[in-house]
Amino acid sequence: MPCLALVLELHHPLPDSGAAVGADWARASIETYWPILRALHRFAENPGGSSLTLAVSPSWMALAADPTAQARVRVELDARAKVDAVDPSLHRFIATTCEGDALRSLRRWNAAGAIDVIPTSASHTWLPSVAQDPVIARAQIGLAAADCAQRLEARPTGVWLPFLGYAPGLETAMAASGLRFFGVAADVFVRGTVLPPGRTSGPLVTPPGVAAFGVEPGPTSQAFDPQTGYGRDPRYVNPAKAVRAAFEHSKHFVDAWRDQAFSAPTGEDAPIEPIRVVAFSAHDLAQGWQSGGAEEWLSQVLERLKTVEGASASSLDRYLARNPVGPLGRPGVSPGGMLAARPADSDLFDRCRTAADLLTFILEQRRTFRPLERRTTAWMVRCLLRAQQVDWSLPFGRGVGPDVGLERARRHLAMFHELAGGLMAGKPDARRLDRLDRGPAYLPEIDLAIPAGD
């Protein structure tokens, strides 16, 4: 029986280091994230034997856990309620069912097994351009896995790479963190060291034992097309007609997805349980349904996944538990695009790699560090990771512009070098660290042994 595997991604940019949470988080939470969480809540309450994968970035988790960020959402909710600008049932769901704590819901769903919560990399970056350096690869993968484990009180099973950006060698860092799988674009999957007999209908198992799944553009390319996507249907503007529109579009989406699964290559060496992986993000939903209706469509898709005729819906972790064996090999390298070497025509990634060389040297001295020196080094790691983030790739209003993004990156790198200078001079600045500690707690518990590779 074919398997349909859905991966849904949540990410939101952090404010500047030491800065308070902005209004953008409250708006995006009410308009996008909480409606998605409500759809997931309905699914998790009665999954009917099906399951899915939810990939959540460390920055999204930091914001969701931040008391100030939660308070901003409550204030924005109350203000909208006074002018009837928010769905009362959504208001009740946030305030009563979840008490404004999204991570508590994620913990419960993850423990129940219907929703397998995994991290993305530590920062939203193009990994093939920065993770060639082992210290960055270990920090991006290992620290994200450790943060997810700490916040959800359970070790994650896999990791989701931003933009599906992969370079050979990343799986070594994954295996060191106990991660079992990741995803790559379908064209990258089939350009690897071997061509699997089932193409993308089964995983490749890399030499360290981490499985790679090919993600087909398939039904998502039509669903989120900027001109003809489902959300462009004018019926979504009218709540009375939106349910019918979502019914038709969810059926079309799941049917097309199932048909792809049934069209998988057959033969003696083909997977016994062919899989079709579909992935999209909260930002895709927000961009695709600008007039509303994304929650209704997603809810109906999730409901259909419980009873797909002739197929099952499963998280990638559960699929691997049933199908642990696959061809040995690696996917190809993800092709570049504008993020590959010169994001926004800058030398950002070159400067990050240079900073990584300095960090490697400092980490080699860590065994002699006192607590303040360890704290300084942990902040250097955070600054370097945040300098790599390219959130300007997100839809307008959900990220930052290239100019703002690059300026933030320069400030993060400047802070990295300032902290390094103080550390190497034997004069780490505790007051500077106290100021940096303000704001959402991004990667609050950094074990320096992870980026060091111990």
Side-chain angles (χ1 to χ4, degrees):
M1 178 183 291
C3 174
L4 308 184
L6 172 63
V7 181
L8 179 59
E9 182 181 354
L10 298 178
H11 168 68
H12 194 87
L14 285 165
D16 262 343
S17 296
V21 178
D24 60 308
W25 168 255
R27 289 195 302 269
S29 294
I30 295 169
E31 296 168 6
T32 304
Y33 305 137
W34 277 109
I36 289 173
L37 293 174
R38 180 164 63 166
L40 291 172
H41 173 78
R42 297 190 191 106
F43 173 81
E45 289 296 297
N46 181 25
S50 58
S51 57
L52 59 85
T53 305
L54 179 65
V56 187
S57 73
S59 62
W60 194 96
M61 287 197 185
L63 286 160
D66 183 63
T68 302
Q70 293 176 1
R72 290 208 68 145
V73 172
R74 288 195 297 270
V75 169
E76 181 71 14
L77 265 176
D78 293 342
R80 294 189 182 203
K82 290 178 181 178
V83 294
D84 294 326
V86 64
D87 178 0
S89 64
L90 178 64
H91 195 171
R92 288 192 299 272
F93 172 74
I94 298 172
T96 305
T97 305
C98 300
E99 297 182 358
D101 187 352
L103 292 191
R104 186 173 68 176
S105 294
L106 265 58
R107 286 188 207 101
R108 185 172 68 251
W109 300 339
N110 192 57
I115 298 177
D116 182 34
V117 184
I118 64 172
T120 66
S121 59
S123 61
H124 199 72
T125 190
W126 179 250
L127 287 171
S129 286
V130 293
Q132 301 165 10
D133 192 301
V135 72
I136 294 181
R138 292 190 293 262
Q140 284 284 0
I141 302 300
L143 293 179
D147 182 67
C148 184
Q150 185 266 328
R151 293 190 187 276
L152 299 186
E153 301 169 0
R155 294 294 303 179
T157 56
V159 66
W160 206 246
L161 308 179
F163 315 103
L164 299 177
Y166 166 78
L170 280 171
E171 64 274 10
T172 302
M174 298 175 196
S177 295
L179 303 172
R180 301 179 58 221
F181 64 85
F182 63 100
V184 298
D187 63 320
V188 171
F189 187 87
V190 298
R191 287 190 290 101
T193 56
V194 299
L195 181 62
R199 303 300 194 269
T200 58
S201 63
L204 272 176
V205 179
T206 63
V210 183
F213 287 94
V215 181
E216 291 281 356
T220 57
S221 59
Q222 180 171 354
F224 300 105
D225 186 275
Q227 304 301 324
T228 62
Y230 299 147
R232 298 299 185 260
D233 190 322
R235 289 179 294 175
Y236 284 108
V237 179
N238 185 341
K241 298 180 179 180
V243 174
R244 182 63 189 179
F247 176 86
E248 295 172 3
H249 293 144
S250 63
K251 183 178 186 305
H252 181 269
F253 182 83
V254 174
D255 285 351
W257 188 2
R258 183 196 60 193
D259 291 346
Q260 273 198 347
F262 275 109
S263 67
T266 59
E268 182 179 347
D269 297 324
I272 297 173
E273 183 183 6
I275 187 172
R276 274 294 181 266
V277 183
V278 161
F280 52 83
S281 70
H283 299 294
D284 292 329
L285 290 167
Q287 190 77 353
W289 277 263
Q290 296 180 19
S291 300
E295 180 189 358
E296 183 63 39
W297 177 81
L298 177 62
S299 293
Q300 294 205 34
V301 167
L302 297 180
E303 190 64 29
R304 290 182 184 280
L305 289 180
K306 300 175 185 178
T307 56
V308 184
E309 183 179 354
S312 64
S314 176
S315 66
L316 295 175
D317 178 57
R318 286 191 179 183
Y319 176 87
L320 273 181
R322 299 190 302 269
N323 303 273
V325 178
L328 181 66
R330 285 188 175 95
V333 180
S334 297
M338 73 95 174
L339 296 178
R342 295 285 181 266
D345 199 29
S346 73
D347 63 347
L348 171 61
F349 289 158
D350 302 295
R351 296 173 65 191
C352 287
R353 288 191 291 268
T354 300
D357 291 338
L358 176 56
L359 179 61
T360 300
F361 170 76
I362 288 175
L363 286 171
E364 290 172 354
Q365 323 302 317
R366 74 189 184 286
R367 299 186 193 280
T368 64
F369 285 172
R370 294 165 295 181
L372 183 57
E373 293 167 328
R374 287 183 170 274
R375 187 180 168 205
T376 300
T377 307
W379 260 109
M380 289 176 60
V381 173
R382 293 186 189 98
C383 289
L384 180 55
L385 290 172
R386 293 201 57 187
Q388 298 166 25
Q389 61 197 25
V390 285
D391 289 320
W392 59 74
S393 63
L394 301 179
F396 177 75
R398 304 291 177 180
V400 298
D403 292 341
V404 173
L406 282 174
E407 182 56 35
R408 286 186 180 182
R410 292 187 184 102
R411 288 199 294 269
H412 291 311
L413 282 173
M415 181 56 62
F416 172 92
H417 288 290
E418 178 183 324
L419 294 172
L423 183 66
M424 296 174 75
K427 298 179 179 179
D429 188 343
R431 286 180 295 180
R432 167 68 75 183
L433 300 179
D434 290 341
R435 289 193 293 272
L436 290 173
D437 280 338
R438 299 169 187 165
Y442 170 65
L443 302 176
E445 303 291 337
I446 288 184
D447 180 355
L448 296 179
I450 293 176
D454 290 355

